[in-house]
Amino acid sequence: LSGLIAAEEAGDRLSEEELRSTVVLLFVAGLETTTNLIGNGITALLRNRDQWERLVADPDGLAPGAVEEVLRYDGPVHLTGRTVTVECEVGGVTVRPGQGLLTLIAAANRDPARFPDPDRLDITRTDTHHLAFSQGMHYCLGAALARLEGQEVFKALARRFPGLDLVDQPVHREHFVLRGYRAVNVRG
């Protein structure tokens, strides 16, 4: 943030509006999504007890796969929007430059043509090429950090609280783009 502020103060790199929007982007992309990755992940693992028990049995070996599978199964971002820059065809519909397009990431990550048994959580799934971090030029800059944070939290919880369980059924927050819970109450 200090570097961004210095660039804005220099006057020739970032406007004040660009600085504000970048700070908001970093906050949402870097905090809320990782928080939701962890909350969604723990909830999914505890609702699929066999998967939680697998993770407890081998946290170091299975945490990376657990994070990838949770991102596919119930990622923190369920849709995103893009503005079309070149005419293209999507699903038989011509989309022209300037038109908006919503991509349903959650639906793509549960596509049965892409993932066998897509509605089943499987932390040992080997084909985890999901779209939770988008693709191409829109690929999430914080993907490596989010993965690492998720892995460390999952490993720590599996080691310290192997008997972890949900106290109640978490309630999703009302949000159009981001998917997460108001709270995930657990007991260990």
Side-chain angles (χ1 to χ4, degrees), residues 18-52:
E18 289 169 328
L19 176 62
R20 279 192 196 124
S21 66
T22 301
V23 169
V24 169
L25 173 68
L26 289 173
F27 177 73
V28 171
L31 176 65
E32 187 162 358
T33 53
T34 303
T35 300
N36 292 340
L37 159 63
I38 293 166
N40 295 354
I42 291 301
T43 301
L45 288 163
L46 296 178
R47 284 180 173 163
N48 294 272
R49 198 71 195 177
D50 63 317
Q51 298 303 298
W52 173 250

Side-chain angles (χ1 to χ4, degrees), residues 105-119:
I105 296 169
N109 285 340
R110 293 278 189 108
D111 183 353
R114 176 68 186 85
F115 296 101
D117 200 7
D119 294 330

Side-chain angles (χ1 to χ4, degrees), residues 6-120:
E8 186 271 332
E9 288 175 351
D12 60 347
R13 295 188 187 162
L14 290 175
S15 69
E16 189 172 329
E17 182 180 332
E18 289 169 328
L19 176 62
R20 279 192 196 124
S21 66
T22 301
V23 169
V24 169
L25 173 68
L26 289 173
F27 177 73
V28 171
L31 176 65
E32 187 162 358
T33 53
T34 303
T35 300
N36 292 340
L37 159 63
I38 293 166
N40 295 354
I42 291 301
T43 301
L45 288 163
L46 296 178
R47 284 180 173 163
N48 294 272
R49 198 71 195 177
D50 63 317
Q51 298 303 298
W52 173 250
E53 289 169 4
R54 286 178 122 171
L55 180 63
V56 166
D58 184 12
D60 289 325
L62 293 177
V67 167
E68 295 305 317
E69 178 66 352
V70 164
L71 286 164
R72 182 202 68 78
Y73 183 80
D74 191 15
V77 179
H78 275 211
L79 68 93
T80 188
R82 300 287 183 253
T83 300
V84 176
T85 57
V86 283
E87 187 171 305
C88 58
E89 187 175 308
V90 179
V93 175
T94 300
V95 187
R96 294 187 169 66
Q99 289 184 303
L101 187 67
L102 287 178
T103 58
L104 302 176
I105 296 169
N109 285 340
R110 293 278 189 108
D111 183 353
R114 176 68 186 85
F115 296 101
D117 200 7
D119 294 330
R120 183 174 59 87

